[in-house]
Amino acid sequence: GQNIDQPTEMTATEGAIVQINCTYQTSGFNGLFWYQQHAGEAPTFLSYNVLDGLEEKGRFSSFLSRSKGYSYLLLKELQMKDSASYLCAVRDFSQAGTALIFGKGTTLSVSS
Amino acid sequence: NAGVTQTPKFRILKIGQSMTLQCAQDMNHNYMYWYRQDPGMGLKLIYYSVGAGITDKGEVPNGYNVSRSTTEDFPLRLELAAPSQTSVYFCASSYEADSYNEQFFGPGTRLTVL
């Protein structure tokens, strides 16, 4: 079956670095997405990985290991505005519509 | 571009009532999706469409119906509202459903069924 696991909550302080892990089990892996979702708002796209390795985009980086079914999102130089839920989602071509399978999200709280 | 728009933003229904959640996109995307998000849970796919006139069920379709008469619009219909349908509903769209194509989400509709 399909399963995505990520920690429920994390806390960090401004200026720090935080790593949010995601492990997955899917039948037809076709890419992994990270989305950011502020409370009461829609998810917004952060990053995409389909090949093994690190993708860097400003303060955000995402890593993928397909053989281990593992990804992480790395946030550097944390700011208060980074307090949000971070959703790991796997595209699975065995699912209806090649749908995204979402994890439950990791709520990150950044304090000063 | 307005992106993905949804109406209404909030709605309270009584058990047994019906309503339509509206979704529209102006990005000429082929794929459109409806998700529901319950507290502490991941987004669950209700229905999706790969183009005008073509729709199919997702993971949790019971109690819902959809139609796709145009590329732009993808309304979600609740026929007999039940308390279990209390949730936040997100509509999303993407150009294709493979490789890099990310899904763009609308602002959501918060529905309460009492």
Side-chain angles (χ1 to χ4, degrees):
Chain A
Q2 290 72 35
N3 191 46
I4 298 178
D5 287 316
Q6 50 181 132
T8 304
E9 294 180 338
M10 298 183 72
T11 59
T13 54
E14 266 188 308
I17 300 173
V18 71
Q19 178 175 311
I20 302 174
N21 296 323
C22 171
T23 58
Y24 65 88
Q25 291 177 305
T26 60
S27 302
F29 179 82
N30 192 23
L32 187 143
F33 293 79
W34 284 96
Y35 280 82
Q36 180 189 60
Q37 185 177 25
H38 285 101
E41 298 183 8
T44 56
F45 170 77
L46 286 178
S47 70
Y48 170 75
N49 296 72
V50 67
L51 299 177
D52 291 351
L54 188 68
E55 294 284 340
E56 297 185 84
K57 190 185 292 186
R59 294 189 299 115
F60 293 68
S61 303
S62 57
F63 171 82
L64 175 68
S65 169
R66 289 171 295 170
S67 62
K68 295 181 179 177
Y70 169 69
S71 173
Y72 68 73
L73 180 69
L74 193 71
L75 292 76
K76 304 175 185 175
E77 302 169 14
L78 281 173
Q79 302 174 11
M80 297 293 284
K81 67 178 182 180
D82 297 329
S83 292
S85 183
Y86 291 85
L87 312 179
C88 175
V90 173
R91 173 165 278 151
D92 187 338
F93 64 70
S94 72
Q95 294 298 300
T98 317
L100 292 182
I101 311 298
F102 283 86
K104 295 180 180 180
T106 300
T107 301
L108 173 67
S109 299
V110 180
S111 59
S112 57
Chain B
N1 285 353
V4 181
T5 57
Q6 292 182 238
T7 57
K9 290 186 177 177
F10 303 92
R11 185 72 187 269
I12 298 175
L13 284 181
K14 294 183 179 178
I15 295 172
Q17 286 185 319
S18 61
M19 77 166 292
T20 299
L21 284 66
Q22 301 292 344
C23 174
Q25 53 90 11
D26 61 359
M27 298 175 283
N28 201 31
H29 283 171
N30 295 314
Y31 283 69
M32 295 188 75
Y33 308 84
W34 274 105
Y35 293 92
R36 59 177 288 172
Q37 186 177 39
D38 300 314
M41 301 298 290
L43 289 146
K44 300 291 186 183
L45 182 66
I46 304 171
Y47 268 95
Y48 71 97
S49 171
V50 303
I54 306 170
T55 63
D56 209 344
K57 297 177 180 178
E59 182 181 358
V60 290
N62 291 344
Y64 307 95
N65 277 299
V66 293
S67 60
R68 183 101 181 265
S69 57
T70 66
T71 299
E72 294 78 18
D73 300 297
F74 190 41
L76 178 72
R77 179 81 177 166
L78 283 71
E79 289 295 348
L80 290 170
S84 61
Q85 293 177 306
T86 294
S87 189
V88 181
Y89 291 84
F90 288 103
C91 179
S93 73
S94 66
Y95 184 66
E96 293 292 350
D98 58 6
S99 67
Y100 177 80
N101 287 277
E102 68 187 90
Q103 291 184 14
F104 294 84
F105 285 81
T109 294
R110 291 184 176 275
L111 176 66
T112 301
V113 182
L114 301 174

